Structure formats: structure tokens, C-alpha cells
């Protein structure tokens, strides 16, 4: 059985991509196995920066949608964003969220949904915000809607799988990840999260295959090395585990995780001696 400390690190690292890949806007892949209790997730504003319309929010002057009469705004009224496209509405909502106006962000998205009821992207983004606010039931409902609208979008399936895990619905999460990989075999978040879930279930050989694929697709991404090392250690393959954890230390950037890996490496080397 896997060492409990390593197991905790493996399962928290499985969550490293949850927030990063929530939302159909895909920023640079998080390279660290982030502990959800120690690190803040990326903000929705960072999602906006990675989109083609991300800079639009900086060019528009907005009023608070909950305060229709603010003087000096360039647009006002019951629905001041009514003429914007889906991507523009999302950029506005993310700007509100980034600047601390969380209720206003939700209002913008909800108003946009009335105009664009078949936009899976809007439901996906609102799920991101709801999840960051701790509203997991609401996030799941929005992701269910997003998948209903676009059942063959692998990103939405990955996102829903991670919310399923919050409700301990492992079978459904695995089904979503399997389907996402079927649709896009090279989608790293799907491979990474499936490998982490399989490791949690004790299916180590299958988990290693997914981490192998992640590393083959992007050998500069630290997190799969860390998780694969933990699985190797659970299998008694200590040399392989040590090599992977050394690779992780060499390329990881987050100092607290490098320190944790260095401590782990010391323990594993002592076990061999």
C-alpha cells in the first residue's frame, strides 16, 4: 500500500489541474502539484489573459450591473452588456471577478445566458467561478448543462469529472475522463487526472501509462513525474521512483514543492540504504 504521506501528495497533485482547466479558456498548464489547502487557485482574470478577447476587458469601461446609474460610465441600463458577444461578456465577467466584484461577475454571465442560452462556454465559465466560491452543487449543474449542449467537448468532460470527484462519484468521473481521452488522446489534463484517479483506486499499472503519456507529450511538465514517482514507489520500484522525483526537483519552479520532494527523496534514499 502506498505510504500515506506520498498518497496525500499524489491525490492533491491530482487536483492541480482542476482549476487550471476549468473554463474553456486554456492558459499555460500548471506545472506544480498544488495542495488545495496551501495554494490559491488561479484567478478568472488569468483565464481572460490567455484568450483572444482577453484584452478587450481593458478597453471597455464598465458600470456595475447592480448599479445602473453610476455617472461617467460609457454604457448603462438594465442590461449594459446586451450588445456584446459571448467572448466579450465573459471578458467583462472575468474582469469584475478579478477586481473583487464576484456578484457582478455572476450577474453578467447570467444575463449573457439569457441572450445566448445555447452557449456551453458561458455555463463552463460560470462553473469555474462557482467552484472557486465553494458552490460545488451549482458548479456541477452548470457543467452538466455545458456537457448537454456540447457532449463531445473534452474540456467540459474533464471539468465535470473533477467536480464529480468532489462528490465521491468516482465511476462517473472516470467515465468522463475516458470519454475525453477517446475524443482527444493527447489532452494532458485528461490523461493526468485519469492517471491520478487510477492511482487513487490502486490501479497502478494503468496510472503509470497515463503519466507516461503526459511526459511524452510534455517532458518539461513536473507534475506527472511527481505522481509517477509516487506510483513507482508504491510498486516497490524505488530506483524509478527516485529518478522521477529527481526529475521533478530539477524542473519544478514552486519552492515549497521542491522542498517537499527533496525531503521525500531523502527518505526514499534512506530506505534503499
Amino acid at each position: 500500500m502506498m505510504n500515506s504521506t506520498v498518497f496525500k501528495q499524489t491525490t492533491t497533485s491530482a487536483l492541480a489541474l482542476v482549476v487550471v482547466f476549468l473554463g474553456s479558456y486554456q492558459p499555460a498548464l500548471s506545472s506544480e502539484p498544488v495542495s488545495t489547502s496551501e495554494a490559491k487557485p488561479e484567478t478568472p482574470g488569468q483565464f481572460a489573459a490567455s484568450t483572444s478577447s482577453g484584452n478587450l476587458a481593458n478597453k471597455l469601461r464598465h458600470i456595475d450591473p447592480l448599479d445602473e446609474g453610476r455617472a461617467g460610465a460609457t454604457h448603462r441600463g438594465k442590461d449594459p452588456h446586451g450588445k456584446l458577444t459571448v467572448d466579450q461578456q465573459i471578458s467583462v465577467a472575468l474582469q469584475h471577478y478579478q477586481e473583487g466584484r464576484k456578484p457582478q461577475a455572476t450577474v453578467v454571465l447570467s444575463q449573457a445566458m439569457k441572450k445566448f442560452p445555447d452557449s456551453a462556454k458561458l455555463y463552463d465559465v460560470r462553473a469555474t467561478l462557482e467552484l472557486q466560491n465553494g458552490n460545488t452543487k451549482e458548479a456541477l449543474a452548470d457543467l452538466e448543462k455545458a456537457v448537454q449542449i456540447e457532449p463531445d467537448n473534452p474540456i467540459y468532460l474533464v471539468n465535470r469529472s473533477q467536480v464529480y470527484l468532489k462528490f465521491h462519484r468516482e465511476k462517473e468521473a472516470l467515465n468522463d475522463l475516458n470519454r475525453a481521452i477517446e475524443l482527444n488522446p493527447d489532452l494532458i489534463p485528461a490523461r493526468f487526472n485519469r492517471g491520478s484517479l487510477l492511482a487513487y483506486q490502486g490501479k497502478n499499472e494503468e496510472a503509470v501509462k497515463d503519466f507516461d503519456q503526459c511526459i511524452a507529450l510534455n517532458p518539461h511538465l513536473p507534475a506527472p513525474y511527481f505522481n509517477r514517482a509516487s506510483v513507482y514507489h508504491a510498486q516497490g520500484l524505488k530506483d524509478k521512483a527516485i529518478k522521477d522525483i529527481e526529475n521533478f526537483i530539477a524542473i519544478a519552479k514552486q519552492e515549497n514543492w521542491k522542498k517537499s520532494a527533496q525531503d521525500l527523496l531523502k527518505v526514499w534514499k534512506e530506505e534503499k540504504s
Side-chain angles (χ1 to χ4, degrees):
M1 180 175 291
M2 189 176 294
N3 176 281
S4 60
T5 301
V6 178
F7 185 67
K8 179 180 179 183
Q9 291 171 329
T10 300
T11 53
T12 54
S13 66
L15 298 177
L17 301 182
V18 175
V19 176
V20 172
F21 280 90
L22 268 171
S24 51
Y25 303 107
Q26 303 168 47
L29 181 62
S30 172
S31 60
E32 310 293 341
V34 180
S35 167
T36 54
S37 63
E38 296 177 355
K40 293 181 179 180
E42 294 199 22
T43 66
Q46 290 172 296
F47 286 109
S50 67
T51 70
S52 58
S53 60
N55 293 328
L56 178 68
N58 297 324
K59 299 176 183 177
L60 296 176
R61 191 177 180 192
H62 306 292
I63 68 166
D64 183 337
L66 301 180
D67 177 10
E68 301 173 8
R70 188 195 302 174
T74 56
H75 56 287
R76 59 169 59 87
K78 187 175 182 180
D79 184 3
H81 308 119
K83 295 182 179 180
L84 302 183
T85 67
V86 168
D87 285 345
Q88 290 171 337
Q89 302 255 17
I90 289 171
S91 292
V92 171
L94 296 180
Q95 183 185 13
H96 280 303
Y97 194 95
Q98 186 181 33
E99 295 176 1
R101 299 184 295 274
K102 296 181 181 181
Q104 289 85 338
T106 301
V107 167
V108 170
L109 292 173
S110 297
Q111 289 176 342
M113 287 171 179
K114 293 178 181 178
K115 183 178 180 183
F116 304 100
D118 295 326
S119 172
K121 189 182 298 185
L122 286 168
Y123 286 97
D124 186 51
V125 173
R126 191 170 72 175
T128 305
L129 307 191
E130 288 165 341
L131 193 60
Q132 293 196 44
N133 290 332
N135 302 323
T136 50
K137 287 181 63 176
E138 291 81 358
L140 180 57
D142 274 350
L143 285 168
E144 296 277 19
K145 183 66 175 179
V147 172
Q148 179 184 341
I149 295 170
E150 293 187 29
D152 292 334
N153 186 309
I155 291 294
Y156 301 158
L157 290 166
V158 172
N159 295 343
R160 186 174 68 174
S161 76
Q162 299 311 293
V163 181
Y164 277 151
L165 288 177
K166 291 181 176 292
F167 293 97
H168 307 288
R169 294 165 64 174
E170 294 177 15
K171 182 177 180 180
E172 291 159 293
L174 186 58
N175 287 341
D176 272 358
L177 292 169
N178 287 340
R179 177 58 178 158
I181 291 169
E182 180 183 331
L183 291 164
N184 186 348
D186 293 337
L187 186 62
I188 292 180
R191 289 276 183 186
F192 182 83
N193 286 316
R194 188 175 73 172
S196 300
L197 177 54
L198 291 170
Y200 176 82
Q201 295 176 334
K203 300 174 182 177
N204 292 330
E205 292 184 5
E206 296 176 57
V208 166
K209 290 179 181 179
D210 274 335
F211 296 137
D212 286 346
Q213 184 67 7
C214 290
I215 292 167
L217 290 166
N218 187 348
H220 304 293
L221 183 67
Y225 289 103
F226 186 95
N227 280 16
R228 191 174 68 176
S230 298
V231 176
Y232 279 152
H233 187 267
Q235 293 175 307
L237 302 173
K238 294 183 179 180
D239 288 336
K240 287 187 173 182
I242 287 172
K243 183 177 180 180
D244 265 0
I245 213 72
E246 287 174 339
N247 284 332
F248 173 83
I249 293 168
I251 58 180
K253 295 180 181 179
Q254 194 167 323
E255 289 300 322
N256 62 324
W257 275 101
K258 290 183 75 165
K259 177 63 168 60
S260 296
Q262 288 164 349
D263 292 342
L264 192 59
L265 178 61
K266 182 179 179 181
V267 171
W268 287 356
K269 286 187 173 180
E270 289 174 352
E271 290 177 353
K272 280 196 63 182
S273 61

